[in-house]
Amino acid sequence: MKRDTDPVLTIDEICHQNEVYYPTLQNTHLSNMQKFWQMYRKSIEEPEMFWGEVMTEFYWKSGPKGEFWSYNFDLRKGPIHISWLKGAVTNITYNLLERNIERGLGDSVAFYWEGNDPEESSNITYKQLLQKVCKFSNVLKNKGVKKGDCVAIYMPMILELIIAMLACARIGAVHAIVFGGYSAEALAGRILDARCPVLITADGVWRGTKLINLKEIANSAVQKCLQSGHRLTATIVVLSIGIPKRNGDSSNYLMRDSTRQLGKRPVVDLMTPWDPDIDAWWHLEMSKVSSSCEPEWMDAEDLLFLLYTSGSTGKPKGIAHTIGGYMIQAALSFKYVFDFHPGDVFFCTADIGWLTGHTYTVYGALLNGASSIIYEGVPCHPDPGRYWKIVDKYSVCQFYTAPTVLRTLMKYSDTYVKKYNRESLHVLGSVGEPLNPEVWLWYYHVVGNGNCSIVDTFWQTESGSHVLTSLPGCTPMKPGSSTFPFFGVVPALVDEDGKEIEGAGRGNLVFRQPWPSMFRTIYENQERYELTYFTKFPGYYFTGDGAVRDSDGYYWIIGRTDDMLNVSGHLLSTSELESVLIEHKNVVETAAVACPHPIKGECLYCFIVVKDKLAINEDLIKELKQKVREKIGSFATPEYFHFTDELPKTRSGKIMRRILRKIATNDGNLGDVSTLANESIIEDLKNPLKSKVYKLSTYFSS
């Protein structure tokens, strides 16, 4: 289906009339749309009353002082600002842990851990989690971390990752989790931007059959920080896969925690350099401290975490989320979007390094007293049935993953799904990019046996929680649509002049007012915050996405409107990738565009101008590929390199990416080319004698 790539499709073509699927679930929180619209209107028309009622479910040392909420989305009226519940005092970990223990959930499992290999598993109860969070809070205090400091976390999907982030929140420190697939340079850039005094990492991680030495990457990042004038005071290392170098010094230790079964995975000595001045083993530090730590009481508008996301300038943006508003909307959206009920087991496949893992694996789940699964491995290890085996093992009720994962699993026989019992499932969720109808139908019929509600959620790192989504047992489902706004969210479509589009239409997706979990700023860069999100359409928050609204009011996301690329759910800016490629001594100019991919959704297609055409060979391609892996991460590896003498540009020198996207997708309808400085370049780009295209996945085996 062309929906996500062709900008000239009609509304009817985008919202093609599939059969509407009506909810069959019983005993859900909302059973019909009339009840939904009643609640929705209250959330918009009486937000203080609506969110005030949600607040009563949690512990607050004191309530809001002054305005319950305030905002300005229009720079003509002053600086952009958002606040919710200002003056209210709480601690999010108290609400996650002590509050649930007081409710009788102390011995309930908070998290089931599934290791890379099926023989590895563990779990932790709410009481045990509180104890370990308190202990690590004391470890951080011993390392000099105080309220307001930012702590970098670069770890695999293990229980210690959750303990670390909650320990930061408990003592009022800000956590900045960096996805474990990022390179040393990317990690260092985030540490430097947030001026983190402490880094928490692990010795390594197995992803499928691939071993990744995280400590080695962390060491390189620490050195890069030092070269930039920033010295970390501590690096705390979790024993995750092996044993350290046996050199008789204080880094010797016992084997891993007995609660984590080793299974058949080999014990590995990574022989990674150890700096005794700053490096410390997690388990040794934990053995020195008390299991009691009083929470730091925080203002609702104090920072909870930073999460870095790509920006149009190439420099990652530190998206800043605060405590109070994020807490109440993470909790409410988890409850309603996944129709969570006590005793349900929730499984989100997203890495905690992404916001999906923050909001729905950790904070939203714990605030509701849920039992969640975290999985360390990859979707197809040891075979494509691994997720469904986990669903069967734990009687999972809600399963939440990305379309990229589903497209990958669809390649294999349905027997990998059907061999496992999935009767416990009642909600199937999707996140990260639009869920195309073909995948939606496979998800619904094969995975869910036609018995589950599909929630195709649209949200962003900036939004903190779902903004467009269906609700199980309530919303009639149209395959491919994110349906309607969540409580407190007021979407609109505007044309390029900022004029609102009424009824069915296509335009830029904006929001008229904030919701509690919305981010507050870009860390220490208010100017960039205002320029990126509030300048193009004054009075609105601009998502950067285009959308269509059909005649029934359903929303359909049709992709980014700027030069951003969504590769397997990872959002990258063109300038971020191009700046890496241009560093090569033989590269003169480059432009990256998105190209449809059957598995990833979008892949990267890079046009490259080189100094010496005779140097276009296997070595050059390998070097460029390696640069991307080192500077950004392996997930950003391009699928195509297209070498050419020149790029299509306007007379003012701007690269015409619209034309490059057409060429990348073999679309001959180039539209208006009258503004091109050199129209002959189009034929050159299509001529194999003038330009050469290399598909990396076939040109190289890995």
Side-chain angles (χ1 to χ4, degrees), residues 309-351:
T309 186
S310 294
S312 58
T313 65
K315 177 180 169 57
K317 300 172 293 190
I319 302 301
H321 282 284
T322 54
I323 297 166
Y326 176 82
M327 181 174 79
I328 60 175
Q329 194 148 14
L332 191 74
S333 57
F334 183 90
K335 175 181 176 179
Y336 280 94
V337 175
F338 300 114
D339 191 48
F340 172 77
H341 295 269
D344 286 352
V345 177
F346 176 75
F347 181 17
C348 173
T349 69
D351 193 285

Side-chain angles (χ1 to χ4, degrees), residues 20-23 30 32-34 36-37 40 44 337 454-459 465-472 474-478 480-492 509 511 548-557:
V20 176
Y21 288 75
Y22 290 92
L30 284 176
N32 59 66
M33 290 301 290
Q34 182 180 358
F36 163 74
W37 288 119
Y40 177 76
I44 301 305
V337 175
I454 305 286
V455 289
D456 183 357
T457 63
F458 170 75
W459 56 304
S465 62
H466 304 134
V467 288
L468 299 176
T469 180
S470 56
L471 297 181
C474 178
T475 313
M477 300 167 287
K478 293 186 179 184
S481 172
S482 294
T483 71
F484 301 109
F486 188 66
F487 304 124
V489 176
V490 186
L509 180 63
F511 293 99
V548 163
R549 186 173 52 230
D550 71 14
S551 56
D552 295 323
Y554 282 67
Y555 283 87
W556 307 69
I557 305 301

Side-chain angles (χ1 to χ4, degrees), residues 8 90 515 586 620 676:
V8 297
T90 190
W515 48 94
N586 198 30
L620 173 62
L676 271 176

